[in-house]
């Protein structure tokens, strides 16, 4: 069931990550994206399915069918699939991954200092709850 969805795994206690999820939800008019925190049972199960580290919460993972994209590639592919003007961000794919991921990793390592963190994962509103996998 989950492998047919477009799923975004994110750090559930990171304010930047939660803001990113809210950004996507607001612009995803077709409701094609689903979400799970990396810390959740679903997130952990999907990390295991793709043989990804279960304790690395610094990565953004985008799962599309049986393929996953992580870090900057994940973010760029989400923007492409978000459509509209946001798909233009896919042009950044021409930048070599080691450069994109260097910038991504700098932000990821400092995200709590820069944007703060929550004590627990966000609780979705009833209107968007069905988009979060439990």
């Amino acid at each position: 069931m989950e492998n047919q969805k477009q799923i975004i795994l994110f750090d559930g206690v990171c304010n930047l990550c939660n803001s990113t999820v809210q950004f996507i939800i607001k612009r995803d008019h077709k409701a094609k994206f689903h979400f799970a925190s990396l810390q959740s049972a679903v997130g952990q199960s999907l990390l295991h399915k793709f043989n990804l580290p279960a304790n690395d919460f610094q990565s953004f993972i985008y799962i599309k069918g049986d393929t996953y994209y992580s870090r900057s590639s994940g973010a760029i592919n989400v923007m492409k699939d978000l459509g509209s003007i946001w798909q233009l961000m896919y042009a950044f794919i021409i930048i070599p991954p080691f450069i994109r991921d260097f910038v991504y990793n700098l932000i990821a390592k400092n995200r709590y200092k820069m944007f703060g963190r929550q004590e627990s994962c966000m609780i979705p509103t009833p209107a968007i709850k069905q988009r979060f996998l439990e």
Side-chain angles (χ1 to χ4, degrees):
M1 181 178 357
E2 282 144 3
N3 62 355
Q4 301 304 313
K5 296 180 181 178
Q6 291 170 255
I7 303 168
I8 296 171
L9 300 180
F10 65 100
D11 179 355
V13 298
C14 167
N15 285 339
L16 173 62
C17 303
N18 282 302
S19 294
T20 301
V21 168
Q22 294 299 323
F23 174 90
I24 294 166
I25 288 170
K26 189 174 183 179
R27 289 154 183 86
D28 180 19
H29 303 294
K30 295 180 182 175
K32 58 185 164 184
F33 293 105
H34 293 81
F35 307 90
S37 73
L38 290 160
Q39 295 93 335
S40 70
V42 170
Q44 290 290 300
S45 173
L46 288 167
L47 290 172
H48 182 263
K49 175 183 174 181
F50 289 99
N51 294 313
L52 295 168
N55 59 352
D56 178 12
F57 302 133
Q58 292 187 16
S59 189
F60 177 94
I61 309 290
Y62 175 39
I63 300 169
K64 186 175 180 182
D66 289 325
T67 304
Y68 78 90
Y69 305 93
S70 64
R71 303 194 183 278
S72 64
S73 294
I76 289 171
N77 277 282
V78 165
M79 297 308 272
K80 176 181 131 187
D81 290 346
L82 196 54
S84 185
I85 189 100
W86 304 109
Q87 65 190 349
L88 296 175
M89 298 292 285
Y90 191 72
F92 286 108
I93 204 77
I94 65 169
I95 298 171
F98 75 93
I99 295 172
R100 286 187 280 121
D101 284 342
F102 176 79
V103 173
Y104 178 95
N105 290 336
L106 274 175
I107 295 169
K109 287 179 183 172
N110 295 293
R111 70 192 185 281
Y112 295 144
K113 289 180 203 166
M114 294 168 37
F115 302 98
R117 66 181 288 162
Q118 301 174 15
E119 291 301 315
S120 61
C121 295
M122 77 177 228
I123 299 172
T125 64
I128 60 170
K129 188 172 174 100
Q130 71 273 10
R131 308 230 355 237
F132 285 79
L133 306 175
E134 296 182 19

